[in-house]
Amino acid sequence: MVQNKIPAKDRESFTEHLKKSNRILALCGAGLSASSGLPTFRGAGGIWRNHEATSLATPEAFADNPALVWQFYSYRRHMALTANPNPAHFALAELARQRPGFVTLTQNVDGLSQRANHPTSQLHLLHGSLFDVRCTEFYCNYSEQNNFTDPIVPALAIPKGSLQPLPSSIDNTGEEASKSLAAAMKGDKADAEGNELDISDAGIPIPAISPEDLPHCPKCHKGLLRPGVVWFGESLPVATMSAVDKFVEESDIDLMLVIGTSAMVWPAARYVEEARFRGARVAVINMDKQDGKRNLAKGDWFFHGDAGTILPDILYPVIGDVSLKATG
């Protein structure tokens, strides 16, 4: 296993503390999945087909245009399934097996931790998952976890092959139709071999999809299914928050891992401070030195670099070599 350039003093002190740590809390952000190569669409700068991704992640957007929102989330599901869990995901999963008192709270919705076989009882999803769905009908309580079917319905399949001019599902001015025709005539974005087209590019036409062809509830046969993620304006999942709160409050915490997140926004910041209050030393793993070194206290560690290489390295004394699991 490749060792990172970590100061010997930091490596030694962290290893010593890790070996005697039983109650451990990890907080994970987008940096955990960085080396898996996924676009995050995080923040106001995330753009999908000329739409700000944040504008598609609302209940109002789904009510107004469920087909467009499902096309966005179906694309994200597909991209997540073409990526693989990286060694950091496998390292955390193995740490959970080695330490029953280890709990992970992840802000990621990409399903990579689940696909790395992270024990479900020790993995809590703060923002839900792309691969969970639930019914939107008021009186129906149907939900499903870890639905990795891709596409979830045939109408949401990623288009392949040569471009054809298609009607727009979101524009009635003729502008999108003109772009579609021009792209089809130009043909430079088409794949003659029938490979998938990059529908995140607004120049690639996408078909209009009727509500009847979107995912529907198999229980009530009436409501549309929606992605099981937390949209802007929605509350964080009560069960998740309660489970993590219970873990934090029931006893002292030995170690807090902050992985690939600045942990500056509530409730992430609160959990770091509560873990410290419970006696935890904090280890931050981040590619951004400015983010990572914020609010470090005496006795904390900062490991600069990609979590995909740092985590398997610093956890090795407890978890052993996970590289074979990461390579399949």
Side-chain angles (χ1 to χ4, degrees):
M1 187 191 68
V2 177
Q3 284 198 335
N4 294 271
K5 294 181 179 179
I6 296 171
K9 184 177 179 181
D10 288 348
R11 183 186 293 277
E12 182 180 342
S13 62
F14 178 80
T15 297
E16 180 183 355
H17 190 72
L18 174 67
K19 286 181 175 180
K20 62 185 181 184
S21 294
N22 292 305
R23 285 180 44 82
I24 305 170
L25 177 64
L27 175 69
C28 305
L32 174 66
S33 298
S35 62
S36 293
L38 284 180
T40 63
F41 296 107
R42 186 179 63 175
I47 300 295
W48 187 80
R49 297 188 64 82
N50 293 337
H51 298 276
E52 284 196 7
T54 52
S55 73
L56 299 176
T58 68
E60 294 77 16
F62 188 77
D64 182 60
N65 195 336
L68 178 65
V69 172
W70 255 121
Q71 283 171 313
F72 171 57
Y73 279 96
S74 182
Y75 170 81
R76 293 185 64 187
R77 284 166 58 97
H78 181 74
M79 293 298 292
L81 287 173
T82 60
N84 291 313
N86 66 58
H89 296 104
F90 288 101
L92 291 176
E94 185 58 30
L95 183 61
R97 284 185 282 271
Q98 297 290 335
R99 292 288 191 271
F102 170 46
V103 165
T104 295
L105 177 63
T106 181
Q107 301 169 88
N108 299 337
V109 298
D110 53 36
L112 292 176
S113 291
Q114 296 92 312
R115 288 170 56 204
N117 294 319
H118 195 119
T120 304
S121 63
Q122 293 167 262
L123 178 66
H124 300 284
L125 311 178
L126 186 61
H127 296 152
S129 169
L130 294 171
F131 301 99
D132 295 349
V133 292
R134 68 174 189 265
C135 184
T136 57
E137 186 68 17
F138 184 77
Y139 291 106
C140 184
N141 62 359
Y142 177 80
S143 64
E144 182 183 3
Q145 293 182 328
N146 296 331
N147 180 328
F148 295 111
T149 304
D150 182 37
I152 191 168
V153 292
L156 291 171
I158 303 295
K160 295 182 178 181
S162 299
L163 294 176
Q164 300 293 329
L166 296 170
S168 172
S169 61
I170 58 172
D171 173 67
N172 59 8
T173 66
E175 181 180 355
E176 290 298 320
S178 297
K179 289 180 180 178
S180 171
L181 178 61
M185 293 176 66
K186 189 175 182 182
D188 60 353
K189 293 178 180 176
D191 190 319
E193 297 181 358
N195 289 333
E196 292 166 348
L197 304 173
D198 180 11
I199 65 168
S200 66
D201 183 344
I204 301 293
I206 55 176
I209 300 177
S210 68
E212 292 76 21
D213 293 325
L214 293 174
H216 278 75
C217 178
K219 181 179 179 180
C220 71
H221 304 287
K222 183 178 179 181
L224 281 177
L225 295 179
R226 57 157 281 181
V229 295
V230 179
W231 281 333
F232 290 99
E234 295 182 328
S235 299
L236 295 172
V238 173
T240 296
M241 301 290 288
S242 297
V244 178
D245 286 345
K246 180 181 178 182
F247 173 81
V248 170
E249 293 166 3
E250 65 186 4
S251 185
D252 289 345
I253 298 176
D254 301 311
L255 176 64
M256 173 96 192
L257 302 172
V258 180
I259 306 160
T261 176
S262 64
M264 295 295 291
V265 180
W266 188 95
R270 175 169 69 87
Y271 283 123
V272 175
E273 291 311 311
E274 288 191 6
R276 276 206 182 99
F277 179 76
R278 295 283 176 177
R281 295 180 67 179
V282 178
V284 177
I285 300 94
N286 204 306
M287 295 183 71
D288 187 325
K289 285 186 177 181
Q290 185 174 356
D291 268 356
K293 289 190 174 182
R294 286 191 179 117
N295 298 325
L296 284 179
K298 184 177 180 181
D300 291 347
W301 299 272
F302 173 67
F303 300 108
H304 179 234
D306 177 12
T309 60
I310 297 286
L311 265 179
D313 184 2
I314 63 174
L315 298 181
Y316 176 82
V318 168
I319 67 172
D321 190 354
V322 297
S323 60
L324 290 179
K325 294 179 182 179
T327 56

